[in-house]
Amino acid sequence: FDDSFYLSFAMMRSILFACLFFFLAGYVVAQHENAVEKLKPLEFLLGEWDVAVDARLSMNGPWESSRGSSVITKTLDSTLIEEEFVGVRQGKRFASKTFFARNGLNGKFQRTFIDAPHAVLVSFEGPLRGDSVIFEKELATPNGLIKLRAVYANIAAEGFTVESQRMAPSQTEWDTTGRMRYTRKPRKR
């Protein structure tokens, strides 16, 4: 083979790699745009919120009312929604983070929650059902399997509600442990 053959082979290889690169780059951009688009049903969460909270620690425990604030933004190139909540529970500061995404494999929405007092990541999954998003999780505890649920409902431009529920192994009905009413903060001028 002469030098022109090797030069032609090198050029063809470079062209092939360039085509492969542009194909893969286009695929990645399309996947990203698809992930951003599929997360749009959860954009009602975005904003700065005043939050009225009613919570209790046990099924028959007393309800405690408090107030908090929440900032919910898109992050990770708009493929993830992140909430930072700060409030009060039992007279002490209560902070939590919640992350929302859309599972590209099954199309369900995902919610991962952690609060400072418990420091446990709990991941939920669920569909959009009518005007609500219902996230559910089964959690193994030393006392058995507990079902957890977070229902995002009453969705409107000015706010929404979140109801936290659980069902212990011996129960057959959901026990509501928290109700949160998010009201959009006035825009700063």
Side-chain angles (χ1 to χ4, degrees):
F1 296 106
D2 62 4
D3 288 340
S4 64
F5 171 78
Y6 291 111
L7 186 58
S8 295
F9 181 74
M11 284 180 61
M12 286 191 310
R13 187 175 64 193
S14 295
I15 291 170
L16 178 63
F17 282 126
C19 289
L20 182 59
F21 171 78
F22 286 116
F23 171 76
L24 289 176
Y27 177 77
V28 168
V29 167
Q31 289 297 98
H32 175 262
E33 289 172 356
N34 192 27
V36 170
E37 187 66 28
K38 287 186 175 187
L39 197 57
K40 281 190 180 209
L42 295 184
E43 287 184 351
F44 71 88
L45 296 166
L46 301 175
E48 294 185 26
W49 306 94
D50 288 317
V51 186
V53 180
D54 291 311
R56 62 183 178 168
L57 295 176
S58 63
M59 181 184 237
N60 297 312
W63 286 94
E64 174 191 13
S65 294
S66 64
R67 301 217 42 95
S69 64
S70 170
V71 176
I72 305 176
T73 59
K74 282 186 176 180
T75 186
L76 200 61
D77 293 334
S78 296
T79 60
L80 183 71
I81 293 175
E82 177 180 358
E83 175 183 15
E84 186 159 344
F85 173 87
V86 177
V88 176
R89 183 145 320 152
Q90 295 183 313
K92 298 177 185 163
R93 182 179 191 273
F94 181 89
S96 68
K97 282 242 184 197
T98 307
F99 299 95
F100 301 89
R102 183 106 180 236
N103 185 328
L105 300 175
N106 66 14
K108 291 183 180 179
F109 293 104
Q110 297 172 307
R111 174 185 185 260
T112 298
F113 173 84
I114 185 168
D115 64 40
H118 296 100
V120 175
L121 284 169
V122 182
S123 294
F124 298 74
E125 202 169 66
L128 180 64
R129 291 186 189 149
D131 65 346
S132 301
V133 184
I134 302 172
F135 296 96
E136 295 181 332
K137 165 74 175 177
E138 289 187 348
L139 184 65
T141 71
N143 298 325
L145 197 62
I146 293 178
K147 294 180 182 178
L148 301 174
R149 180 161 71 175
V151 180
Y152 288 69
N154 304 310
I155 299 164
E158 68 277 356
F160 58 93
T161 61
V162 180
E163 195 164 284
S164 299
Q165 301 173 329
R166 68 178 165 214
M167 188 184 307
S170 61
Q171 292 177 282
T172 57
E173 294 186 25
W174 290 103
D175 170 34
T176 299
T177 56
R179 293 183 185 101
M180 301 171 75
R181 174 71 185 143
Y182 286 67
T183 304
R184 190 173 301 282
K185 288 185 178 185
R187 295 184 190 249
K188 297 175 185 172
R189 295 179 190 216

